[in-house]
Amino acid sequence: MRYKIQEAARMLGISPQTLRFYEQYGISVHERVGDGQYRHYSDTSIDLLMSLRKCRNCGFTVAQTAEIIRQEDAAQLALTLQGRAEEMERQAEMQTRIAQSMRAAAELMKRSESLIGRYEVRKRPAGCALIIKRPGTERLDAHAMARVAEWAEWMPLVRWMTRYPLECLPGEAGTEKGFVTDEKTAAFLGAECQEGAERLPECACLYTVIRWHSARGGPIAGVREGLAYMGENGIRLAGAPVVSTFWNVNVKDDPISYGECWFPIQNE
């Protein structure tokens, strides 16, 4: 049988314009018939185009698809397909991890009102951090900006973090800014191998959720409240408090952030 371009496109689930676009890569086999030299596609052409659609559904670009369809070396083709399969598996795992992170953020948001101002001792899991801005840093250089962009690509699997070195407490001056994630996620992303990455050991912490207005001093008020609670209850701080932001909203041009606050404490 022979099919007009509209019929061939309909069977493939694409537009005639897309089918014409494929011709630029030499992967659309058709014949010109009649006085008008209209495109017609044979059953053989449709079979080839189905292979094209298969490649496109596997995520190959049009240019890559053209190379695959012309590939005569079965071993090389197998390597190409295997490589794409591994890439898709990683992408699938990435999407699964992102979904899990979103569920965790949703659960925190749902419980945030009851968690704010409530303190409990928890084990902070081991993690990995990248500190971008340290005390005395006025502006980031191009190299630091590139590292920010690199880690930002991993959100929400990593979080924006504010850390308060002990020598700077209880003020805002001297805070450190960067990213943080848990140890398993860091291993999946390869974050622990990145330049400047810092391992955070597991430790006992006083934990709470805080909420702050970004235009009104940031999370420091919540950190001070936590420090006051520790003083009142005889709990000794053993390391730099860390606030990791898990969500932001912007209501009437008033940015509000929600974060988890960890105060390392001395083991009794």
Side-chain angles (χ1 to χ4, degrees):
M1 294 184 63
R2 295 188 182 279
Y3 309 90
K4 296 180 180 179
I5 187 170
Q6 291 84 359
E7 295 170 326
R10 189 178 303 118
M11 286 190 292
L12 291 165
I14 60 178
S15 69
Q17 290 79 5
T18 299
L19 202 49
R20 294 189 185 96
F21 173 72
Y22 290 154
E23 294 176 15
Q24 299 177 22
Y25 291 85
I27 52 178
S28 179
V29 181
H30 62 272
E31 299 176 6
R32 298 280 187 174
V33 299
D35 294 336
Q37 291 292 290
Y38 295 114
R39 295 174 177 82
H40 277 70
Y41 298 83
S42 65
D43 286 332
T44 301
S45 299
I46 296 298
D47 189 43
L48 178 62
L49 290 171
M50 288 297 177
S51 294
L52 179 151
R53 186 59 192 266
K54 181 190 299 182
C55 289
R56 297 292 285 134
N57 286 355
C58 288
F60 292 107
T61 65
V62 176
Q64 290 170 333
T65 297
E67 292 180 8
I68 290 170
I69 289 178
R70 298 190 189 102
Q71 181 61 253
E72 297 181 5
D73 186 334
Q76 184 59 45
L77 178 57
L79 287 174
T80 300
L81 297 178
Q82 180 179 331
R84 178 56 187 155
E86 291 172 355
E87 183 181 350
M88 292 179 72
E89 288 169 351
R90 179 173 173 81
Q91 290 173 347
E93 184 174 355
M94 178 74 80
Q95 292 302 309
T96 297
R97 287 174 178 269
I98 289 174
Q100 291 171 345
S101 176
M102 290 173 65
R103 289 194 188 97
E107 183 63 24
L108 279 169
M109 287 298 295
K110 184 169 63 177
R111 301 173 55 217
S112 61
E113 293 302 323
S114 62
L115 292 174
I116 292 173
R118 192 179 81 184
Y119 298 91
E120 58 181 288
V121 175
R122 289 190 184 185
K123 280 283 189 182
R124 186 183 71 188
C128 180
L130 177 70
I131 303 302
I132 297 297
K133 184 180 182 300
R134 296 188 183 276
T137 304
E138 294 298 329
R139 294 183 60 84
L140 300 181
D141 59 24
H143 180 63
M145 293 291 285
R147 290 161 68 201
V148 171
E150 186 175 22
W151 280 62
E153 282 287 328
W154 291 331
M155 285 187 161
L157 299 185
V158 300
R159 291 183 182 179
W160 188 243
M161 174 191 74
T162 303
R163 186 164 65 178
Y164 297 83
L166 295 182
E167 62 272 17
C168 300
L169 288 173
E172 178 71 30
T175 58
E176 299 174 334
K177 299 284 187 178
F179 296 93
V180 66
T181 190
D182 64 87
E183 191 174 46
K184 290 183 178 179
T185 302
F188 170 72
L189 296 172
E192 76 274 19
C193 300
Q194 297 293 314
E195 178 188 354
E198 172 187 336
R199 185 179 181 277
L200 300 178
E202 178 185 272
C203 66
C205 287
L206 189 69
Y207 168 89
T208 190
V209 169
I210 62 175
R211 177 182 58 211
W212 66 92
H213 292 260
S214 299
R216 306 179 200 173
I220 186 62
V223 173
R224 287 174 179 153
E225 289 177 8
L227 294 173
Y229 175 88
M230 295 175 70
E232 293 168 1
N233 291 273
I235 303 172
R236 300 182 65 182
L237 187 66
V242 171
V243 177
S244 61
T245 304
F246 64 83
W247 211 254
N248 307 87
V249 295
N250 191 1
V251 181
K252 297 180 180 179
D253 296 324
D254 185 13
I256 300 174
S257 299
Y258 294 81
E260 293 182 287
C261 192
W262 302 84
F263 299 88
I265 59 176
Q266 295 185 2
N267 291 318
E268 297 299 331

